[in-house]
Amino acid sequence: LLLALLHVDQVIELIRSMPDQKSCREALMRTNNDDSDTNNTGDSQLRLGLSAEQADSVLRLQLGQLTRLNQGKLEEEKAELESKGADLQRLLDVDDAVYELMIEEFDNMDAKFGHDRKTKILNDDGEVNEIDLITNSRSVIVVNRGGY
């Protein structure tokens, strides 16, 4: 959206000049490397190279959303996503970063849940052990020469 916002006049002109949404979407998705759709007149059209989702988002965008305030929000979101992307790439590239993140998350869990047990576990005199649940009966175990 920032790319479309930077070229807002050309995007509006492109949208107005297209006969339908499909051709407009295709025009927004064209890149500078696409030679198949060049005009015979030689004039250069805006070629943003947007993905299908980005082109659909531009087409759904209302003119009221093209304010400077919205541009600031988009730039903040872009910076936040780039920061997250860099952090995730660091996790992929650096083994110690994964361990550092794990330790940090364990410390957070310890701070949140790391308190003494509020109840006490006591042995009950009438407690049943596993051995008490096994019936005492005669058994025959047969082993052949092959160990089976």
Side-chain angles (χ1 to χ4, degrees):
L1 288 178
L2 280 176
L3 189 59
L5 192 58
L6 290 174
H7 304 287
V8 68
D9 293 331
Q10 292 115 335
V11 169
I12 291 172
E13 183 180 326
L14 177 75
I15 291 172
R16 282 184 172 177
S17 67
M18 292 295 151
D20 58 7
Q21 276 194 342
K22 182 180 177 187
S23 58
C24 185
R25 183 181 305 109
E26 290 171 358
L28 288 170
M29 292 170 51
R30 276 190 220 122
T31 63
N32 287 331
N33 298 332
D34 293 342
D35 292 331
S36 61
D37 294 325
T38 55
N39 285 339
N40 293 336
T41 59
D43 66 320
S44 61
Q45 289 185 347
L46 178 66
R47 297 174 185 269
L48 297 177
L50 301 177
S51 69
E53 292 173 3
Q54 290 170 328
D56 288 338
S57 180
V58 168
L59 290 174
R60 285 191 309 263
L61 190 65
Q62 297 177 2
L63 290 177
Q65 294 175 327
L66 297 176
T67 61
R68 294 243 182 246
L69 177 64
N70 196 23
Q71 181 179 3
K73 287 180 184 177
L74 289 174
E75 288 174 352
E76 288 175 11
E77 182 181 358
K78 179 184 176 190
E80 180 182 330
L81 291 173
E82 286 175 345
S83 173
K84 284 182 182 179
D87 290 343
L88 292 173
Q89 188 63 43
R90 182 174 179 267
L91 287 175
L92 291 173
D93 295 340
V94 181
D95 287 338
D96 290 339
V98 176
Y99 298 121
E100 290 171 5
L101 179 65
M102 289 171 56
I103 290 171
E104 180 183 326
E105 288 182 359
F106 289 149
D107 288 342
N108 290 340
M109 284 191 289
D110 185 40
K112 185 176 181 179
F113 302 110
H115 50 77
D116 293 336
R117 186 176 184 93
K118 294 181 180 179
T119 59
K120 292 185 179 180
I121 300 174
L122 301 174
N123 289 332
D124 188 16
D125 292 337
E127 188 174 322
V128 178
N129 294 326
E130 277 186 43
I131 196 73
D132 295 335
L133 298 175
I134 301 172
T135 59
N136 191 6
S137 63
R138 292 188 154 249
S139 300
V140 176
I141 299 175
V142 179
V143 179
N144 65 13
R145 289 183 187 153
Y148 298 106

